[in-house]
Amino acid sequence: MAQTSPNGGEPARLGRFFWASLAVLGIVILAAVVTFVGRHHRPTADPGLGFADSGAPDPVPDAKIAIGGTLYYLKAGDKTSQLWSWRTGGEGKSVYSVNGRWMFDTAGLSADGRFLAYVSDRAELVVRDLSAGTERVVVAGLALGEQVCQDAVWAPDGKPMVLTQNGVDASGAPKLQWFDVTTGAAASTAVKVGGCFARPVARTDGGYDLYYLSKGDVYWQTPDGNAAATGLGPAVSDTVGEPVRALGGVSPDGKKVCVLTGDGGPLKKRALDCSVIADIATTRVEPLKDVPDSGVRGPVLFMPDGRRVARFSNFVSLRGLDGIPTGTEPEPESIKDLWLLAYVS
C-alpha cells in the first residue's frame, strides 16, 4: 500500500511555501512603512510641556540667538575717555572722546541712547547730544575729591534730568541734585543721602525713592528723607563670602539690585561692574555664574521693561523677567576689554 506523506504531498508543500513567502513579504513591507513614518513624522509633544508640533526641526539647545539692539561701552586711556558703541552682528566703534578720565568714572547714558552725561575734569556736569553732536554744560562748580561720590544717573522714567552727587554738606553727607538737561536749571532742591552710588526709582506719585550703599549695606530712602537698611549687604556677604563694595543698579520696580562684591576698600567711582543680584524684599541672592567657565564680568543692566542684560567672559546675554536667557551674542575682539555701560533696544 502506498504511504501518504505526513506533509500532504507535493501540492501541500507548494501551498505552504507560497503562504510563508507571502507572510515574509508582508512583514518586510510593514517594517518599511513603519521606518518611513518614523523618519518623516515628529509626534506632537505633550501640550503640558509647552511645545507645539510646527513640523520644523528641533532647535539646537546651545544655539546663539541674536539679542539685537545697541550696546555702549567705556574705554579709559591715560589721558582720554571714549564712548564706544556696538550694534550686535557688527564691530565696535568709537563714537565720542573727551580729555580726562572723569567720564569713565561718572558717565551715564539716557534710556534712548541719545544723551551722555558725565562730570568733566573741570568739575562740570556735561550733557552730550550724541545724535546732534552737540553738548552743553548743565552745571559748573561741582565738588570734586575723595569725599564726593560723583555719578551721573538718568531718571528711570525717561525724564530728561540727571542726578549727580555734587557736594558735601557740613556734616560730610553727600548731596544730590536733579538738573534739567535742556535748560541747565536745577529741577529739585538738594537731597542729603548717607552713602554713595545713589540709584533713583520712580514712584507713582511722581517722586523718587533712592537706594544707595552705606556701611556695607544697601539703604532705601523715601522722598521725605527717611532711610532704612535693607539687610541685603549682610545677606550677600553670608551667601558669597565677600562684602558688598558697590551698588551697580536697581530694577525699575525697586525689587532687585545688582551689587559688586569683594575686598579692596570703598570705590569712589561709578560701579561699572556687579556680580550678584539680590531681591530686596526677601534678601534672596541669585547666583549669576550659571555658565561653565564663564563668570559674570558685569554689569547686569536692568531695562525699563524689567528685562536685564548680563555680560559674561565672552558674550552678552539678554534675559527675561524671570532671569532666563532669551538671546545671546558673542562679543567682538574690539570691545572685549572695554566696560559695558548701557544697552538700548
Side-chain angles (χ1 to χ4, degrees):
M1 178 186 297
Q3 294 182 340
T4 303
S5 171
N7 295 323
E10 187 66 21
R13 286 197 302 272
L14 291 176
R16 285 193 295 272
F17 176 81
F18 171 79
W19 289 111
S21 300
L22 188 62
V24 172
L25 180 61
I27 293 173
V28 171
I29 294 175
L30 179 61
V33 171
V34 171
T35 301
F36 177 85
V37 171
R39 289 180 178 177
H40 293 79
H41 176 72
R42 181 167 54 89
T44 302
D46 182 355
L49 299 177
F51 299 103
D53 184 12
S54 64
D58 291 327
V60 180
D62 59 350
K64 299 300 182 184
I65 306 172
I67 67 175
T70 303
L71 293 106
Y72 291 86
Y73 297 76
L74 287 177
K75 180 179 181 180
D78 293 335
K79 297 181 179 180
T80 62
S81 293
Q82 295 180 1
L83 178 71
W84 281 55
S85 70
W86 170 47
R87 182 76 181 179
T88 53
E91 286 293 326
K93 62 180 181 180
S94 176
V95 295
Y96 181 57
S97 179
V98 64
N99 291 332
R101 294 175 59 92
W102 283 97
M103 184 182 84
F104 179 81
D105 291 346
T106 65
L109 193 72
S110 60
D112 58 4
R114 178 178 176 180
F115 295 104
L116 174 72
Y118 64 94
V119 178
S120 73
D121 55 2
R122 298 182 299 275
E124 298 171 336
L125 178 62
V126 179
V127 174
R128 173 84 177 182
D129 187 330
L130 297 173
S131 61
T134 60
E135 63 185 46
R136 65 177 296 137
V137 175
V138 174
V139 63
L142 299 178
L144 302 179
E146 289 298 319
Q147 295 184 2
V148 181
C149 312
Q150 294 290 355
D151 211 354
V153 182
W154 288 86
D157 52 6
K159 292 180 179 179
M161 292 184 291
V162 184
L163 177 69
T164 182
Q165 293 165 281
N166 68 325
V168 179
D169 66 9
S171 65
K175 296 186 300 182
L176 307 180
Q177 182 75 60
W178 291 98
F179 296 97
D180 189 325
V181 301
T182 59
T183 65
S188 70
T189 58
V191 179
K192 296 180 182 179
V193 295
C196 294
F197 311 108
R199 300 290 179 259
V201 173
R203 295 166 55 98
T204 56
D205 59 8
Y208 300 94
D209 288 331
L210 294 176
Y211 292 85
Y212 57 87
L213 187 68
S214 179
K215 303 174 183 177
D217 201 357
V218 177
Y219 280 70
W220 166 43
Q221 180 171 310
T222 55
D224 57 10
N226 291 325
T230 63
L232 290 178
V236 170
S237 181
D238 290 343
T239 302
V240 303
E242 296 178 342
V244 175
R245 294 188 64 201
L247 174 59
V250 182
S251 62
D253 58 8
K255 294 182 178 181
K256 296 181 183 296
V257 301
C258 187
V259 297
L260 173 65
T261 64
D263 297 315
L267 297 176
K268 294 296 183 181
K269 66 179 183 179
R270 179 175 176 81
L272 293 175
D273 195 2
C274 63
S275 53
V276 175
I277 289 181
D279 187 279
I280 293 176
T282 65
T283 67
R284 185 177 69 88
V285 176
E286 297 182 19
L288 290 179
K289 296 181 179 180
D290 55 356
V291 178
D293 69 19
S294 296
V296 172
R297 293 182 60 196
V300 171
L301 306 174
F302 292 105
M303 301 292 99
D305 60 5
R307 293 181 301 166
R308 58 199 191 213
V309 175
R311 187 189 192 191
F312 293 86
S313 59
N314 57 358
F315 67 93
V316 176
S317 175
L318 181 63
R319 298 175 172 233
L321 298 174
D322 52 8
I324 297 177
T326 59
T328 61
E329 192 83 27
E331 287 183 330
E333 291 292 334
S334 57
I335 54 90
K336 281 188 175 181
D337 294 329
L338 308 187
W339 290 90
L340 178 61
L341 176 67
Y343 169 76
V344 178
S345 58

